Amino acid sequence: MRLHRFFRMKICVGFALVLMLWQCAPQLRHTAPAVEEVHQPEIRICLDDSLREATLRFDGNFLLELEEARYWFDETIGELNVSVRGEYLVIKNDKRFFELTTPLQVVFQPQYEYNTFYWNDIPYSGKLLLYLDKSHRLVINQLPVEKYLEGVVPFEMPTQNPEYREAIFAQTIAARTYAWYAIEHPENEFYHLFADERDQVYRGKLRSSPLIETAIKKTRGKVLALNDHSVRVQFHSTCGGILEVRSDSESTNGNPNTITMAYDLMDNEFNCKISPKYRWVEVRTAETVLQNLKHEFQLDSSLVQKWLDEGFHLTIEVVSRKPGGRVNQLRLVVNEREFLVDGYRIRAVLRDDVGEMLPSELFFINQSPTNPGKFYIVGAGYGHGRGMCQWGAIGMSLRGYNYHRILNFYYPELSIKTLYQ
Ligand SMILES: [Zn+2]
């Protein structure tokens, strides 16, 4: 199984050592045979994939080994400026100056597990790796998976309320499952996941709470699996009462498949109705939507300016919906020009004027009867609606369901598996 390659390390005892022990300590003759220990894996997280400039400082000792010498860094060195200048990586302050020629790979290695480095003032455990060549300017944090989760779970779910405990346990297992899949299916040789919304938001040791520590400790090594194999799990903030179900999506790992729906309903109560985004109303002006269209379709600036100067007429209508009601395709017409929008672009063309995406695809849109340049959008939920509804999990937790029941409700085809103790 693939799992074993990553997670198992055989304890090998050399023949000479065995012989020595045999002679010196005959009482060891009856000890149990050597067993296989399964250790938690390390994961590599990309903090930045286009490094230009950053700050770096240390709390505790970190070792940088270069060809010519070994250098130790600690808190007495203060804040360093890290920048890419042409062919060089420059690391400097008034106490240290390094000008390193690229391509290069450097590692700042902590002396102890509890040592911390601060990258742009965010504290991290583990190693800091920098990879620079013609096509990469990567900043990577490598650390054990359980440590990684400490920087993920607090950013996926509100963690201050002890009554959310079972939902936080469920989220911790889902986040660990996400990491496991990424380790088992690396998409490149440098890192497994991004530290932002492209994967799971990860912010090192920035936010911690006793509840998070308990959740990670009590679920240590537990993941969701499909027939014992790693699986790409999905989760989202709020489904609005209607989950999107992609049949066989877990078993085929995301291949196109049939979309159906399910209600996020238990005991005749919608699980996520306590979410602040359960229902919402947003307003967009025609000018904002036009700017979004310009960005998404890379429209010519002079054309857009002409429309803005001379006046334009915008209509927006839903062409089709998925089962459950999420918009499948949207048609926007600016004067005579038609734009058909689907996928992530539906939420993108309806961003607000500070660039926030529309919360979900589950909405109705109506033009104002008195002002044709104004649109009301009445909607439900936040996120794509697939996999676990995080506010729904919180709702179930508040009503006394445990994390086994929560995970079984949202991922009925998956089972909990322990990778390591
Ligand atoms: Zn929900």
Side-chain angles (χ1 to χ4, degrees):
M1 281 188 297
R2 296 184 64 119
L3 165 70
H4 293 175
R5 206 175 62 232
F6 283 94
F7 292 86
R8 294 195 170 187
M9 190 179 82
K10 284 189 177 176
I11 296 175
C12 297
V13 181
F15 177 74
L17 182 61
V18 172
L19 192 65
M20 191 180 80
L21 289 173
W22 187 271
Q23 286 170 341
C24 301
Q27 69 273 20
L28 292 181
R29 282 176 199 172
H30 302 293
T31 51
V35 291
E36 284 189 321
E37 279 188 28
V38 182
H39 293 271
Q40 64 168 308
E42 296 219 322
I43 189 163
R44 293 190 302 277
I45 308 299
C46 181
L47 306 180
D48 188 353
D49 60 350
S50 54
L51 172 65
R52 286 186 182 283
E53 193 148 21
T55 61
L56 174 62
R57 62 193 162 89
F58 301 92
D59 185 2
N61 293 325
F62 279 77
L63 175 65
L64 170 65
E65 278 192 87
L66 298 178
E67 233 172 51
E68 72 279 12
R70 292 150 60 96
Y71 300 92
W72 284 98
F73 292 80
D74 63 18
E75 54 274 23
T76 61
I77 289 168
E79 187 170 287
L80 292 149
N81 178 273
V82 182
S83 60
V84 181
R85 303 272 160 83
E87 302 279 288
Y88 298 98
L89 172 70
V90 180
I91 303 173
K92 67 171 185 179
N93 66 5
D94 52 4
K95 293 181 182 154
R96 292 284 186 279
F97 183 86
F98 295 89
E99 193 175 59
L100 308 170
T101 315
T102 61
L104 62 80
Q105 297 182 11
V106 291
V107 182
F108 290 88
Q109 170 89 42
Q111 186 176 16
Y112 300 109
E113 196 183 271
Y114 55 82
N115 292 157
T116 303
F117 72 86
Y118 290 77
W119 185 261
N120 286 334
D121 287 329
I122 298 179
Y124 296 95
S125 307
K127 294 177 196 166
L128 169 66
L129 299 90
L130 305 174
Y131 289 97
L132 283 101
D133 61 24
K134 278 205 168 106
S135 46
H136 298 97
R137 296 204 306 270
L138 303 175
V139 180
I140 290 160
N141 180 200
Q142 180 175 328
L143 75 172
V145 163
E146 300 296 306
K147 280 273 166 208
Y148 163 68
L149 294 174
E150 290 175 19
V152 170
V153 182
F155 296 91
E156 285 293 343
M157 204 170 255
T159 56
Q160 305 311 321
N161 189 338
E163 293 184 334
Y164 295 176
R165 177 189 154 106
E166 295 299 322
I168 292 165
F169 278 37
Q171 179 62 51
T172 303
I173 292 171
R176 188 183 290 108
T177 306
Y178 194 95
W180 177 36
Y181 184 87
I183 293 169
E184 290 267 285
H185 301 82
E187 288 183 7
N188 65 68
E189 61 187 291
F190 302 103
Y191 55 87
H192 301 110
L193 293 172
F194 288 107
D196 56 32
E197 289 80 1
R198 283 172 283 184
D199 287 303
Q200 310 186 98
V201 172
Y202 164 66
R203 291 285 179 272
K205 303 190 206 179
L206 201 58
R207 201 185 283 174
S208 66
S209 75
L211 193 50
I212 295 294
E213 285 166 26
T214 305
I216 293 169
K217 209 167 150 188
K218 296 266 184 188
T219 66
R220 183 181 166 85
K222 285 186 166 51
V223 290
L224 292 162
L226 182 76
N227 304 327
D228 233 27
H229 294 288
S230 67
V231 62
R232 191 201 299 268
V233 285
Q234 292 187 295
F235 38 84
H236 63 283
S237 165
T238 307
C239 73
I242 298 170
L243 294 159
E244 184 174 304
V245 179
R246 299 197 172 204
S247 60
D248 298 320
S249 64
E250 310 301 356
S251 57
T252 58
N253 285 326
N255 289 339
N257 38 55
T258 316
I259 298 172
T260 57
M261 60 150 294
Y263 290 113
D264 188 12
L265 187 73
M266 292 275 280
D267 314 323
N268 287 321
E269 198 164 328
F270 283 105
N271 291 323
C272 58
K273 72 172 189 185
I274 49 169
S275 163
K277 291 285 187 187
Y278 183 61
R279 299 286 181 264
W280 44 262
V281 179
E282 300 261 334
V283 181
R284 298 287 182 269
T285 64
E287 286 77 14
T288 300
V289 177
L290 184 60
Q291 292 297 348
N292 294 339
L293 279 173
K294 178 187 167 190
H295 184 259
E296 288 299 323
F297 288 86
Q298 286 157 11
L299 299 178
D300 184 55
S301 293
S302 56
L303 172 68
V304 173
Q305 196 55 50
K306 183 168 174 277
W307 283 339
L308 286 167
D309 291 344
E310 296 175 6
F312 66 99
H313 181 69
L314 170 70
T315 59
I316 307 174
E317 62 170 333
V318 173
V319 179
S320 60
R321 292 181 184 275
K322 298 176 196 170
R326 285 185 173 77
V327 174
N328 186 51
Q329 193 176 50
L330 205 59
R331 180 191 290 123
L332 297 92
V333 181
V334 183
N335 292 348
E336 303 298 304
R337 180 140 175 205
E338 180 186 74
F339 301 89
L340 288 173
V341 178
D342 51 25
Y344 85 94
R345 274 184 163 168
I346 292 169
R347 291 169 65 197
V349 295
L350 295 173
R351 287 176 192 273
D352 66 13
D353 49 15
V354 293
E356 278 289 315
M357 300 264 273
L358 193 72
S360 80
E361 294 166 5
L362 191 53
F363 63 85
F364 296 99
I365 187 161
N366 296 308
Q367 204 155 15
S368 160
T370 55
N371 179 356
K374 194 172 176 183
F375 296 84
Y376 294 106
I377 310 172
V378 182
Y382 186 29
H384 49 61
R386 296 188 288 277
M388 184 171 72
C389 168
Q390 291 164 318
W391 274 99
I394 290 173
M396 288 178 71
S397 179
L398 288 172
R399 298 207 304 284
Y401 291 101
N402 66 22
Y403 73 84
H404 288 274
R405 188 71 190 90
I406 294 170
L407 290 170
N408 183 254
F409 179 79
Y410 291 108
Y411 305 107
E413 66 277 53
L414 305 182
S415 53
I416 295 177
K417 171 188 173 72
T418 303
L419 292 178
Y420 47 83
Q421 301 284 346

